[in-house]
Amino acid sequence: MTAPTEDEAEDARDTRPEQDPKRRALAALIAARERTALLTSCVDDNELIAQHSPLMSPLVWDLAHIGNQEEQWLWRAVGGQEALRPEIDSLYDAFEHPRATRPSLPLLAPAEARAYAADVRGRIVDLLDRAPIEGSGPLVASAFAFGMIAQHEQQHDETMLITHQLREGPVALTAPPPPVTSGSGPLEREVLVPGGPFTMGTSDEPWALDNERPAHTRMVAPFFIDTVPVTNGAYLSFMADGGYHDERWWHPEGWTQIRRHGIEAPLFWRHESGDRWLRRRFGATGPVAEDEPVLHVSWYEADAYARWAGRRLPTEAEWEKAARHDPATGRSRRYPWGDADPGPGHANLAQRHLGPAPAGSYPEGSSPLGVRQLIGDVWEWTSSDFLAYPGFRAFPYKEYSEVFFGPGHKVLRGGSFAVDPVACRGTFRNWDLPVRRQIFSGFRTARDAELA
């Protein structure tokens, strides 16, 4: 059982689309583990075992859960090997134990959790090297299971970053601010997306998850969509106009929620004096930047703002058409900018920066119609419930998507600054309860074209 050498790891990071599946899988696994190591080594053991919010697991639970899922799906299911630690499967079953109860479980201590995850990873690197990839069934074809586990780890890395945001105490994580890449000239407020059919979802993205499949045709009426996400400055106007105190703008359940909890601003904001607002981010407090996309708002808050502005949230299909459809060719791209994997100039991803970039940044990542920042910066709430596509088939287990389908969860699209490219693409679907605010969520608005 050997981990890759430094040279091998660097070579694996060449993630060009034409690379072979094993090389891509190794690169994705390495990147995920480097991020996990950073998120769990920047604080002491007491911080790892503490529960910083009942909404989140202790960081040490996430660490061992990552290793356990890797063992179950790769070591056991793909490799056909005997279980290494079958006695801990129940402890790290996310459906068996709600987050609020996990601190009371006999969890692995930090050192043991690290050793376990490292042991599993060493075995998996060897397994990947010798495993047949083609002709071995859908779980292994194109190294799907390895890509699924890399995505799973990166999703937990985002979850752990949320825990760091909720954590009280001194700064433990730092990163440079996003570069200013707004391009030349002012941007139009909105973009017209022409009506007609487009291809939604995917049937040929090798690591797409079950809820992204299959590709199918959707008919969308013409609509306008914001060129950039709604900014803090725009949201402050909603607040100054009494938005949190006017029942007209609110979904009934949202109105009940904000009244019950005394919500009057996005999460982590604090009113200082006059018109001055501060926000806390990963232990550091500073003024709210009016040119950044608003962050840490619930679906109810996003919906209320849109109503106040005389607009609405886009549907999931509208969002994807704005992000992927190329009117010149009629095809749907992998990403707004094309089919190439994201680079640093395309989007704010991978926790390179611990916050969103100013609205209008990343012109290289624009869609064919000129919509910006559809990928990265903030997850964007849509108006849509999380539902199955026509022809959906649960794979490889129904608990990933199927058990969440229905009106209880709303769809978010695009990915945030905390998301790695392996778990973010034009077809990727995120979902959450409409009350959630601790996630890295923002939004943009839309309106029907016939209202122009």
Side-chain angles (χ1 to χ4, degrees), residues 225-292:
I225 192 167
D226 290 339
T227 305
V228 299
V230 170
T231 64
N232 290 324
Y235 199 82
L236 281 165
S237 296
F238 164 69
M239 293 166 58
D241 195 43
Y244 277 93
H245 302 278
D246 193 332
E247 188 175 358
R248 288 180 298 165
W249 314 128
W250 294 85
H251 185 286
E253 293 176 4
W255 182 249
T256 298
Q257 179 77 6
I258 65 165
R259 299 270 66 78
R260 177 184 300 144
H261 297 284
I263 296 171
E264 296 188 339
L267 188 60
F268 307 116
W269 283 30
R270 186 180 83 237
H271 188 224
E272 187 178 44
S273 62
D275 296 330
R276 182 175 170 81
W277 285 85
L278 303 178
R279 60 106 181 102
R280 181 173 61 82
R281 185 173 293 164
F282 303 112
T285 299
V288 169
E290 294 195 16
D291 61 347
E292 289 182 4

Side-chain angles (χ1 to χ4, degrees), residues 11-31 128 141-144 146-148 150-151 204-208 334-335 339 341-342 420-425:
D11 188 53
R13 289 188 183 89
D14 179 2
T15 57
R16 291 171 296 180
E18 66 268 21
Q19 73 182 95
D20 68 79
K22 287 189 176 184
R23 186 176 179 183
R24 183 184 180 213
L26 179 59
L29 291 168
I30 290 170
L128 176 62
S142 298
F144 173 82
F146 297 90
M148 178 184 74
Q151 291 179 80
D204 54 14
E205 182 74 29
W207 289 357
R334 293 180 70 210
Y335 300 98
D339 295 334
D341 287 342
D420 189 81
V422 76
C424 182
R425 48 194 163 264

